[in-house]
Amino acid sequence: SSIKQRVIKAREIQKKRFGKNKCNSEMTQKQIKQYCKLSAENRKYFKNVIKVMEISARGYDKILKVARTIADLEGSKNIEKQHLMEAVSFRKK
């Protein structure tokens, strides 16, 4: 029940963000740049992960979308390092 409430809240956040029934997974490039901004420290961490794991540009976008969703589930306005780490952990090797 607590998970269900978090999901409902995250969906409400996304509905406010996009103004319609659209999910983070459907973000355009412009929306990714707008809603998936990273701090300098997190950007540096993420660039290193991308290099080490040899992730493509499309993979980069997918990880940001997942990280944005994880942040929404936690009610966080910003994508933090732990959100990026969790999103990266879901990547297949």
Side-chain angles (χ1 to χ4, degrees):
S1 132
S2 67
I3 294 172
K4 182 179 179 179
Q5 291 305 313
R6 285 177 43 208
V7 170
I8 289 169
K9 186 176 178 182
R11 295 290 245 167
E12 288 172 2
I13 290 169
Q14 291 173 33
K15 189 173 183 175
K16 286 179 186 176
R17 181 179 297 135
F18 301 117
K20 52 185 167 186
N21 287 335
K22 185 174 180 178
C23 298
N24 289 338
S25 65
E26 302 170 292
M27 279 191 276
T28 64
Q29 283 293 319
K30 183 178 177 182
Q31 290 168 329
I32 290 171
K33 288 178 183 176
Q34 183 177 358
Y35 299 117
C36 299
K37 293 180 182 173
L38 302 175
S39 68
E41 180 183 333
N42 291 336
R43 195 170 33 256
K44 182 179 177 183
Y45 162 77
F46 195 36
K47 283 183 180 184
N48 187 47
V49 168
I50 296 302
K51 182 179 177 182
V52 170
M53 293 182 69
E54 299 177 345
I55 296 173
S56 67
R58 192 164 74 170
Y60 176 93
D61 289 348
K62 286 182 180 183
I63 292 171
L64 281 178
K65 291 175 184 181
V66 171
R68 176 71 267 164
T69 300
I70 294 166
D72 289 346
L73 286 167
E74 290 188 4
S76 177
K77 182 178 178 181
N78 300 313
I79 297 174
E80 302 297 341
K81 186 174 181 180
Q82 68 266 19
H83 304 138
L84 287 169
M85 291 171 68
E86 187 173 347
V88 167
S89 76
F90 293 128
R91 288 289 294 181
K92 293 180 182 176
K93 296 177 183 171

